Amino acid sequence: MSYYPTIDDLKNQFHEIAFKNKAETPQKAIEMAYADMSRRQEGHTPAMKKVCVKWLADEVFTDSLQITDFNTWHKETCETLIAKMNSVTPGFGTVGKAQKVINMALKYLSCICNQYDGILEQCHMTLDGYTLDWYKTHVMPWAKENDLPVPEGNILWSKIEQYAD
């Protein structure tokens, strides 16, 4: 008999790994998501983190968060986060960086706040080096074999400039 984990099983496993010895607060979840994006990004500053995390905690991921159209909300939130990043360090913000923070924040928040349970099912896959390597290895060859368009050059999540609808 095979065992297939439920979403709750996966969420609990992720929770154990992510929050092992950390405070389980929305602020901490947002800071962890921001750290996932910024740890190896040249040009990132503590001032940028302060501006972005404050905006996300005070104005986006609040108790009154209501999302009726997830994709529209995600795109608008990415665009505003990019503008916040660029207000501190011009040219720093990209869609790739913004989506990383927002997607990871939603995943971390879903571990500690029940209000995000329904949203988690709508979340986008967070782009990172692992998912892009899988894409390059599996999807791009298949797309080429089937005469479908594929991006040219090396794809880095932090350099993605356009939000695909």
Side-chain angles (χ1 to χ4, degrees), residues 88-107:
V88 178
T89 304
F92 180 86
T94 64
V95 169
K97 292 172 185 169
Q99 68 80 28
K100 178 85 163 197
V101 175
I102 293 163
N103 295 341
M104 291 307 298
L106 285 167
K107 288 172 174 98

Side-chain angles (χ1 to χ4, degrees), residues 30-48:
I30 294 165
E31 289 172 358
M32 288 166 47
Y34 190 87
D36 288 341
M37 177 279 298
S38 66
R39 65 176 52 100
R40 285 183 233 109
Q41 298 302 312
E42 187 174 316
H44 161 73
T45 66
M48 185 186 305

Side-chain angles (χ1 to χ4, degrees), residues 41-138:
Q41 298 302 312
E42 187 174 316
H44 161 73
T45 66
M48 185 186 305
K49 176 183 177 182
K50 183 177 180 181
V51 166
C52 294
V53 169
K54 181 172 178 23
W55 175 71
L56 290 167
D58 293 351
E59 297 183 38
V60 177
F61 297 115
T62 64
D63 289 340
S64 62
L65 177 64
Q66 296 293 317
I67 300 174
T68 54
D69 177 352
F70 182 82
N71 289 330
T72 299
W73 173 87
H74 191 274
K75 182 176 183 179
E76 290 171 355
T77 305
C78 277
E79 290 169 350
T80 303
L81 185 56
I82 291 165
K84 297 282 181 191
M85 291 174 181
N86 289 339
S87 73
V88 178
T89 304
F92 180 86
T94 64
V95 169
K97 292 172 185 169
Q99 68 80 28
K100 178 85 163 197
V101 175
I102 293 163
N103 295 341
M104 291 307 298
L106 285 167
K107 288 172 174 98
Y108 289 135
L109 287 164
S110 74
C111 289
I112 59 171
C113 303
N114 290 336
Q115 78 185 72
Y116 295 97
D117 285 348
I119 296 170
L120 183 62
E121 295 170 6
Q122 301 175 57
C123 281
H124 299 162
M125 179 184 341
T126 302
L127 297 179
D128 60 17
Y130 299 112
T131 55
L132 289 175
D133 283 344
W134 174 86
Y135 175 81
K136 292 173 199 174
T137 304
H138 295 87

